[in-house]
Amino acid sequence: MSVSHEIAAWQLACANRVPFCFRGLGSSMLPALRPGDEALFEPLADLPPRRGDVLLYRAGDRLVAHRLLAADADGHLRLRGDALAADDPPVPAAAVLGRLVAIRRGRRELRADRAPLAWYAAVLPELARLTRHAPHTDRVLRRALRLCMRVAARLTPHALGG
Amino acid sequence: MPAGSSDETIFTAVDQAVFAGLQDGEGVIVDTKSAFYFGLNKTAAFLWETLQKVKAITAAQLTDALCGRFEVTRERAAHDVEEFLAHVIEYGLAKRCENSLNK
């Protein structure tokens, strides 16, 4: 699937007021989003992107879905895949297509504004801020977070989409 | 011929599938029910547009249309149509009915 197909599909989905179903997820957003998840995005509309949102943006010849960490004063956005150690190159706000509203995992649909996705949205940008200059600490904390989520998923599998 | 179809089988596009053509002749379909999208090459985009325009069409008629549009042997066109119809049926973008067009 070329990016022109994806952009056209995005426009078509917006014109018909349906979410855009992105199926090109790799492993960069683990553990929140898994390869094989169907990620549903909607246009930002009047609501500006918020820290912690997973945004879909165009980067050259592909679409990327990563989490918003901060907005710089010059209008560029800083995003990062949850599983990655480094930020993406600064993203112009105009390159952003939409925001994650839900994911489909098997037969279940998990809303972005509810647990567990909302937890990741609240915790991960703060974690990235605190460990910006301490990559080793960042790795350790991310591992601890993944472990916590795994334990929580075992305890409440339905609520956590485990 | 897609499995479960005969020469008389009529194919129709479902309403929930919306299409947009691209400048290079390719296209995309979005299923407004599932939100899935599908990229189409030039041949598939042409076949889909024909299917949508004619509303009810047989595989043979689609093959004729394809031969009229592209320089392709009938055998190859029939194979492409078969493959195309199998996919759109599988993904729920089109449906078939056994009524003959001539009845």
Side-chain angles (χ1 to χ4, degrees):
Chain A
M1 184 85 60
S2 71
V3 72
S4 57
H5 282 134
E6 289 176 320
I7 298 290
W10 165 263
Q11 290 166 345
L12 199 51
C14 292
N16 285 276
R17 297 176 182 277
V18 292
F20 174 73
C21 182
F22 184 57
R23 288 180 288 179
L25 292 171
S27 55
S28 68
M29 285 298 288
L30 283 170
L33 309 184
R34 305 172 187 172
D37 284 350
E38 294 161 3
L40 300 174
F41 288 87
E42 286 182 354
L44 297 174
D46 297 331
L47 197 61
R50 292 162 303 193
R51 195 161 163 258
D53 281 349
V54 176
L55 302 180
L56 184 71
Y57 70 93
R58 183 174 182 167
D61 62 352
R62 66 198 185 106
L63 296 185
V64 178
H66 280 170
R67 193 176 303 283
L68 177 64
L69 301 181
D72 291 336
D74 63 1
H76 282 74
L77 305 176
R78 270 196 296 120
L79 295 103
R80 187 196 291 189
D82 290 350
L84 304 180
D87 295 353
D88 302 343
V91 176
V96 174
L97 298 177
R99 139 183 34 238
L100 182 78
V101 291
I103 60 171
R104 291 194 203 126
R105 180 173 295 160
R107 291 183 181 176
R108 265 178 293 167
E109 184 167 304
L110 306 175
R111 300 285 312 169
D113 55 359
R114 297 198 185 145
L117 297 183
W119 294 354
Y120 288 113
V123 171
L124 289 172
E126 192 59 23
L127 190 66
R129 189 183 69 79
L130 293 171
T131 60
R132 174 151 294 275
H133 303 294
H136 177 68
T137 311
D138 181 62
R139 277 196 296 276
V140 171
L141 288 175
R142 277 168 193 278
R143 237 174 259 158
L145 177 67
R146 276 201 294 275
L147 187 63
C148 288
M149 293 303 287
R150 216 172 288 156
V151 171
R154 293 229 171 149
L155 296 175
T156 54
H158 183 71
L160 292 173
Chain B
M1 192 80 52
S5 306
S6 70
D7 290 344
E8 305 284 292
T9 303
I10 299 167
F11 297 89
T12 57
V14 299
D15 292 338
Q16 73 209 40
V18 292
F19 171 83
L22 304 183
Q23 283 184 340
D24 56 7
E26 299 189 346
V28 290
I29 295 173
V30 170
D31 181 340
T32 57
K33 200 169 170 187
S34 68
F36 288 153
Y37 62 92
F38 306 87
L40 306 183
N41 64 19
K42 286 180 189 176
T43 306
F46 171 76
L47 289 173
W48 180 262
E49 283 189 290
T50 307
L51 184 63
Q52 271 201 320
K53 194 165 59 184
V54 179
K55 307 280 186 204
I57 195 167
T58 65
Q61 289 170 324
L62 271 179
T63 303
D64 290 341
L66 193 59
C67 288
R69 174 69 177 77
F70 296 98
E71 282 187 27
V72 61
T73 63
R74 186 162 182 84
E75 188 183 18
R76 176 62 197 267
H79 176 264
D80 286 352
V81 166
E82 182 181 332
E83 212 168 43
F84 167 79
L85 289 172
H87 279 113
V88 292
I89 295 287
E90 179 188 350
Y91 295 129
L93 303 173
K95 56 187 179 186
R96 61 184 139 213
C97 31
E98 284 299 331
N99 301 326
S100 166
L101 287 175
N102 300 321
K103 280 180 186 171

